[in-house]
Amino acid sequence: MTDGSSSTDSHSGSASVAARIERRWAAISIGIIALIGVMAAYAGIHRATMPQTQVETIDPTTLHLNGEFIESNLGSAIEPDGSVTVRVVGQQYSFTPQCILVPTNTPVTIRATSPDVVHGFLIEGTNINTMLVPGYISDLPVQFDKPGEHLMPCHEFCGVGHEGMWGKVKVIDKFDFLQLSTKGRRLNCVD
Ligand code: CUA
């Protein structure tokens, strides 16, 4: 009998310990969910109330005639500080340049826009994923660690030729990239 009652005691003891641990974990889980909720609300409200630090606009009807998006200025340019700026135009139904050439381990800024309708701009394997909106310049920082090729599909339905609107990004060794560059010339990898 004594054995039976003591085992019941220890059983109820461990049950209460288990309940206490369970309550603690429940509280921690609720705390994590509440924290994520606050972070999401803050990020949403903050971004809604604070516009991007710079919204750059451009006249989509004349961007091929003057300014930074004229054809001869499209492609990759080496800046005086050693970084690279890539200028791209997405139009129905292609990207110019169709093959973007960038070096490894170099800060790259992609500046892109559209002269006609909204296009999608995505570089696979990176977090570059945005839209090209006529009248606005999309300015995107990116850096590539290793050589390789990344597909660059338009992912915003832009008309009957949308399915065929593809480009790619070719990442080559920084040294090779510098070898290719000559003063003032814009680089790309279009054959
Ligand atoms: Cu451009 Cu879809």
Side-chain angles (χ1 to χ4, degrees), residues 12-172:
S12 70
S14 63
S16 78
V17 168
R20 185 148 32 92
I21 292 170
E22 216 164 286
R23 273 197 298 276
R24 190 183 301 157
W25 278 112
I28 291 171
S29 316
I30 291 167
I32 291 170
I33 293 164
L35 178 67
I36 291 170
V38 168
M39 284 162 65
Y42 173 78
I45 293 164
H46 185 73
R47 288 186 68 163
T49 53
M50 309 261 180
Q52 282 185 292
T53 49
Q54 60 193 76
V55 174
E56 290 182 82
T57 57
I58 188 166
D59 184 349
T61 60
T62 58
L63 62 85
H64 60 294
L65 300 175
N66 52 56
E68 66 173 296
F69 290 99
I70 55 169
E71 192 163 5
S72 60
N73 201 40
L74 299 179
S76 308
I78 300 178
E79 301 296 339
D81 67 358
S83 68
V84 168
T85 303
V86 183
R87 292 185 180 82
V88 187
V89 169
Q91 65 265 303
Q92 287 167 320
Y93 297 101
S94 62
F95 292 101
T96 309
Q98 189 268 331
C99 182
I100 294 172
L101 190 68
V102 291
T104 52
N105 301 312
T106 305
V108 174
T109 302
I110 295 173
R111 290 173 62 76
T113 190
S114 162
D116 43 39
V117 299
V118 175
H119 297 278
F121 189 82
L122 178 151
I123 301 174
E124 284 185 341
T126 72
N127 62 358
I128 297 291
N129 183 349
T130 189
M131 290 189 293
L132 308 184
V133 182
Y136 294 89
I137 297 171
S138 300
D139 189 277
L140 308 152
V142 64
Q143 185 153 336
F144 297 89
D145 298 336
K146 48 181 189 292
E149 287 194 1
H150 302 256
L151 290 174
M152 191 177 78
C154 172
H155 62 78
E156 201 72 45
F157 183 76
C158 52
V160 290
H162 163 72
E163 292 296 317
M165 188 169 170
W166 287 82
K168 68 179 175 183
V169 174
K170 189 174 176 184
V171 187
I172 63 169

